[in-house]
Amino acid sequence: MEFMTITIKDETFAGQVLHQVLLEFQTQTVTVKEIIEKRVTTEVEAYNQKMPDYFRGLIEPTEAEKTLNGYKLKHNKRRIDAEQQVYTALDAFQKNGFFMLIDNFQAESLEQLIELQPSTTISFIKLTPLVGG
């Protein structure tokens, strides 16, 4: 089985890259929902394994404050609930809290099918502060 590795970027409206992460998919065809779930789960798992001072991810965890370095949790060294973060991210997508550009085309729905290619670029652009998890 061949894996597909894609770079996911957080960008500003002006195109400035704020953060990026590599995601690996086991199939070439995925839904927008699967991309969001994989991204959020990967970020939470990386944080929970290392417990750094700051969480850098799509969704701000509850009881966290936004800083220049990411989100600082008010209760240091607290694990983040991946399932809650995914739920919050999916809800935010449906409420236009952020949008996704896939090869410069805006994703329309969670069930939209995406054919991944090695050159596929996916950008997340936040519209409002996202709080959850």
Side-chain angles (χ1 to χ4, degrees):
M1 179 184 330
E2 192 172 317
F3 290 93
M4 183 71 62
T5 302
I6 301 297
T7 301
I8 306 288
K9 300 176 182 178
D10 287 338
E11 295 185 37
T12 64
F13 279 119
Q16 176 189 3
V17 177
L18 303 172
H19 175 68
Q20 66 181 35
V21 64
L22 293 176
L23 296 183
E24 192 171 81
F25 294 92
Q26 295 180 357
T27 62
Q28 193 170 350
T29 304
V30 296
T31 63
V32 168
K33 179 180 180 182
E34 290 169 327
I35 294 169
I36 294 170
E37 288 173 339
K38 180 80 166 181
R39 183 224 164 122
V40 172
T41 302
T42 299
E43 291 170 341
V44 171
E45 286 173 355
Y47 175 84
N48 286 343
Q49 284 177 1
K50 295 180 181 166
M51 294 288 197
D53 290 336
Y54 297 94
F55 173 72
R56 292 183 59 98
L58 178 63
I59 302 297
E60 179 180 334
T62 54
E63 298 185 26
E65 74 180 82
K66 186 168 177 46
T67 69
L68 290 174
N69 297 321
Y71 300 111
K72 177 86 171 150
L73 275 64
K74 292 180 180 157
H75 300 289
N76 250 3
K77 308 301 180 195
R78 176 179 66 91
R79 292 180 64 79
I80 297 173
D81 181 347
E83 188 175 326
Q84 180 61 45
Q85 291 292 99
V86 166
Y87 174 82
T88 302
L90 295 174
D91 187 56
F93 177 82
Q94 292 181 301
K95 292 179 177 175
N96 298 319
F98 67 89
F99 64 93
M100 291 173 57
L101 294 178
I102 301 166
D103 290 331
N104 293 320
F105 291 98
Q106 186 170 342
E108 301 292 328
S109 74
L110 289 174
E111 300 310 318
Q112 180 179 344
L113 291 175
I114 308 298
E115 282 291 324
L116 299 176
Q117 303 295 327
S119 61
T120 298
T121 58
I122 300 175
S123 299
F124 285 75
I125 301 165
K126 293 181 187 179
L127 304 176
T128 58
L130 303 176
V131 179

